[in-house]
């Protein structure tokens, strides 16, 4: 039986999330807490993150 391995493997990290934006703002203001209402895994992409995801798919 012949293996059919892909020629290339792409490793992709998620696009920027609203949590990333909130973290950056908290760090800049020297805050101890990040202002997000969702669990980290449920935080939506930021506008930049959505554009990054779209660019990857194009």
């Amino acid at each position: 039986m012949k293996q059919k391995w892909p020629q290339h493997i792409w490793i992709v990290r998620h696009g920027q999330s609203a949590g990333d934006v909130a973290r950056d703002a908290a760090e800049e203001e020297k805050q101890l807490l990040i202002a997000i209402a969702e669990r980290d895994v449920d935080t939506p992409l930021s506008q930049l993150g959505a554009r990054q995801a779209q660019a990857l798919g194009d």
Side-chain angles (χ1 to χ4, degrees), residues 18-19 21-27 29 31-38 43:
V21 174
R23 181 204 59 226
D24 292 346
E27 287 178 353
E29 297 172 10
Q31 298 293 315
L32 298 176
L33 298 175
I34 299 171
I36 56 172
E38 301 88 1
T43 305

Side-chain angles (χ1 to χ4, degrees), residues 16-27 34 36 45-48:
Q16 181 190 57
S17 73
D20 296 332
V21 174
R23 181 204 59 226
D24 292 346
E27 287 178 353
I34 299 171
I36 56 172
L45 293 177
S46 66
Q47 290 180 357
L48 173 59

